[in-house]
């Protein structure tokens, strides 16, 4: 009865809040929702419920396991990947091929996020999850990592994550160095040809070459800066030693469980034993000593792990330094090529300036010659006028005027040549 009364009370409120189309004839008609449809369509035909979030679907990953060196292909969605590697979404966004991000190497609590050219992977202490693509470098990386894991040397104690990171750096550096070598092979003959023959076709090829050079230099510079930043920060390098962190976590969990089991066993033993005297019993003192010894051993193990961490940081720093030298050499090649291009451009500009100066000189010569000829035209025009003047009565007047005009024109022309030859060598 109470529920019926409540429904009768709510009914007028619902009618007032949401009036029906039949009750209000003046209200505009709302678009009807098709049966079975989960939402309404906005103007423009955009079906909102059927939209998919960008990058939210499953992706193909190549998994290389550290223990067995097995390679397999997995289909994992983004949420599962985040839970599996304990990574935030912004870190996985760096590996998304739909976005264009510069080269990045990030050390996290349980994984290393690597985005180096074609190599986009997540490295953990137990496996490498490589973003599958059609690029040959990705398949070569997986095959080479498997081969190195199977043919591991006797004295090689480098952790798995460092071996995977080393291979990623090697693949990126070799790829960039190969592109730089290819650019050099194409650039130097073209620039030499451009210095001897300046044409529109050669200039267009040089422009495209310079654009490729600038883009490649930017990519190489980013990889170099990323390696240098890792070498300069001990904290980032310590974050990348995942094996040590995994061992410490396992030992800590094992120690906590053993201590908890020992305390629970002591409590059970104390409950079934005789009443304890006011003086401290030997059992309590032994239990306290064992607890202190366990804590001391854990502290000593932590100090030992810190020393081991320092050693591995030095190993990682030497590894990064080796590839820093390689990528720096590639950057020096590109810098030398850019300087050669700049020198070629300067040489071409000098040649064009020389041609421009010759054209200006020729134009000035033509202008001067035109001026001299115009003087003769003025004299001829004066003597050709139809009016009486005393000049015409002088004997050989026309010849004298012609001689004077010629001498004046020659003097002006020679003065111009002298001025143009010597005045341009004087400082401004």
């Amino acid at each position: 009865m109470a529920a019926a009364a409540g429904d009768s009370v709510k009914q007028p409120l619902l009618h007032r809040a949401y009036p029906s189309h039949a009750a209000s004839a003046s209200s505009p008609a709302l678009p009807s929702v098709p049966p079975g449809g989960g939402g309404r369509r906005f103007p423009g035909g955009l079906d909102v419920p059927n939209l998919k979030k960008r990058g939210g679907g499953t992706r193909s990953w190549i998994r290389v396991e550290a223990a067995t060196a097995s390679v397999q292909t997995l289909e994992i969605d983004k949420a599962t990947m985040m839970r599996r590697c304990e990574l935030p979404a912004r870190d996985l966004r760096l590996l998304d091929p739909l976005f264009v991000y510069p080269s990045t190497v990030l050390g996290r609590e349980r994984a290393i996020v690597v985005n180096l050219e074609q190599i986009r992977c997540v490295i953990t202490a137990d496996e490498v999850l490589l973003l599958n693509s059609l690029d040959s470098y990705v398949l070569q990386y997986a095959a080479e990592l498997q081969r190195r894991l199977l043919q591991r040397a006797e004295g090689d104690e480098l952790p798995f994550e460092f071996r995977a990171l080393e291979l990623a750096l090697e693949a990126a550096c070799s790829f960039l160095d190969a592109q730089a070598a290819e650019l050099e092979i194409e650039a130097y003959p073209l620039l030499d040809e451009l210095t001897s023959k300046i044409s529109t076709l050669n200039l267009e090829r040089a422009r495209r070459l310079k654009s490729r050079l600038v883009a490649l230099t930017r990519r190489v510079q980013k990889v170099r800066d990323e390696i240098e930043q890792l070498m300069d920060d001990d904290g980032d390098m310590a974050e990348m030693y995942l094996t040590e962190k995994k061992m410490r976590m396992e030992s800590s969990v094992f120690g906590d469980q053993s201590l908890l089991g020992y305390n629970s066993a002591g409590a059970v033993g104390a409950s079934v034993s005789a009443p304890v005297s006011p003086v401290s019993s030997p059992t309590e003192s032994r239990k306290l000593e064992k607890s202190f010894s366990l804590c001391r051993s854990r502290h000593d193990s932590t100090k030992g792990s810190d020393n081991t961490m320092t050693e591995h940081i030095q190993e990682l720093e030497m590894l990064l330094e080796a590839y820093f030298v390689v990528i720096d050499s590639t950057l020096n090649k590109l810098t030398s090529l850019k300087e050669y291009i700049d020198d070629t451009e300067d040489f071409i500009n000098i040649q064009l300036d020389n041609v421009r100066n010759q054209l200006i000189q020729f134009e000035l010569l033509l202008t001067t010659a035109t001026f001299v000829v115009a003087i003769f035209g003025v004299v001829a025009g004066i003597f050709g006028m139809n009016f009486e003047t005393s000049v015409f009565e002088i004997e050989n007047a026309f010849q004298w005027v012609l001689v004077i005009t010629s001498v004046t024109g020659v003097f002006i022309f020679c003065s111009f040549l002298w001025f143009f030859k010597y005045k341009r060598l004087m400082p401004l």
Side-chain angles (χ1 to χ4, degrees), residues 78-336:
K78 191 172 184 180
T80 306
M81 194 70 181
M82 292 167 58
R83 292 192 300 268
R84 181 169 184 161
C85 303
E86 295 185 2
L87 292 174
R90 59 178 175 272
D91 289 346
L92 290 181
R93 197 180 304 124
L94 298 174
L95 308 179
D96 197 336
L98 298 177
F99 298 97
V100 179
Y101 285 101
S103 298
T104 309
V105 179
L106 299 177
R108 294 296 184 250
E109 183 64 27
R110 290 187 54 188
I112 300 175
V113 181
V114 178
N115 177 18
L116 293 174
E117 295 299 322
Q118 284 80 8
I119 307 301
R120 298 167 181 254
C121 63
V122 178
I123 303 173
T124 64
D126 302 322
E127 61 185 2
V128 173
L129 294 171
L130 184 67
L131 190 63
N132 194 4
S133 66
L134 300 178
D135 198 285
S136 60
Y137 274 85
V138 175
L139 301 179
Q140 290 178 6
Y141 175 86
E144 181 66 20
L145 181 59
Q146 184 184 23
R147 186 188 66 81
R148 293 188 182 185
L149 291 176
L150 293 175
Q151 299 178 357
R152 186 169 183 176
E154 290 288 336
D156 190 5
E157 299 180 355
L158 202 64
F160 169 73
E161 61 270 15
F162 288 176
R163 297 168 65 85
L165 179 61
E166 178 185 8
L167 187 57
L169 291 172
E170 180 181 347
C173 293
S174 61
F175 175 73
L176 293 174
D177 189 69
Q179 283 199 340
E182 181 182 354
L183 199 62
E184 280 184 331
I185 294 174
E186 183 181 354
Y188 286 111
L190 174 61
L191 296 175
D192 294 338
E193 182 183 358
L194 186 60
T195 54
S196 59
K197 181 182 179 181
I198 302 176
S199 62
T200 305
L201 179 60
N202 290 337
L203 289 175
E204 178 64 22
R205 291 171 60 190
R207 184 190 65 81
R208 294 178 182 177
L209 180 69
K210 189 173 182 180
S211 300
R212 290 168 53 193
L213 175 64
V214 171
L216 183 59
T217 303
R218 190 183 301 114
R219 289 157 54 192
V220 173
Q221 183 69 45
K222 180 57 182 174
V223 175
R224 180 186 179 277
D225 293 343
E226 195 67 25
I227 297 176
E228 185 178 10
Q229 182 180 358
L230 289 176
M231 288 193 304
D232 294 340
D233 196 338
D234 292 342
D236 290 344
M237 289 190 289
E239 285 288 333
M240 293 184 179
Y241 192 41
L242 306 177
T243 302
E244 178 66 21
K245 291 194 290 185
K246 179 183 176 183
M247 293 172 58
R248 282 191 298 176
M249 186 180 299
E250 290 178 354
S251 62
S252 175
V253 172
F254 179 75
D256 293 340
Q257 289 179 354
S258 61
L259 181 60
L260 181 60
Y262 179 78
N263 291 334
S264 62
V268 172
S271 62
V272 299
S273 63
V276 180
S277 62
V279 183
S280 174
S281 63
T283 305
E284 293 290 337
S285 62
R286 284 198 300 270
K287 183 168 67 174
L288 187 61
E289 289 177 359
K290 288 185 178 180
S291 300
F292 279 133
S293 64
L294 183 60
C295 293
R296 191 181 301 111
S297 64
R298 290 176 61 184
H299 179 67
D300 294 338
S301 64
T302 303
K303 291 179 62 179
S305 64
D306 291 339
N307 296 330
T308 307
M309 180 73 71
T310 303
E311 294 177 0
H312 283 286
I313 285 176
Q314 294 176 357
E315 291 180 0
L316 180 58
E317 186 174 1
M318 290 187 293
L319 186 148
L320 293 174
E321 184 178 356
Y323 290 98
F324 178 80
V325 172
V326 175
I327 200 67
D328 190 66
S329 175
T330 304
L331 184 62
N332 290 334
K333 290 181 183 179
L334 297 176
T335 304
S336 301

Side-chain angles (χ1 to χ4, degrees), residues 32-77:
S32 60
V33 179
R40 53 179 294 189
R41 295 178 64 89
F42 290 96
L46 191 61
D47 195 359
V48 177
N50 294 331
L51 286 179
K52 292 184 178 180
K53 294 182 178 179
R54 190 178 188 183
T58 59
R59 295 193 180 277
S60 178
W61 297 82
I62 299 176
R63 179 177 180 266
V64 182
E65 192 176 357
T68 61
S70 61
V71 179
Q72 55 182 335
T73 304
L74 304 177
E75 296 291 335
I76 307 175
D77 59 351

Side-chain angles (χ1 to χ4, degrees), residues 207 393 407:
R207 184 190 65 81
E393 298 176 359
V407 171

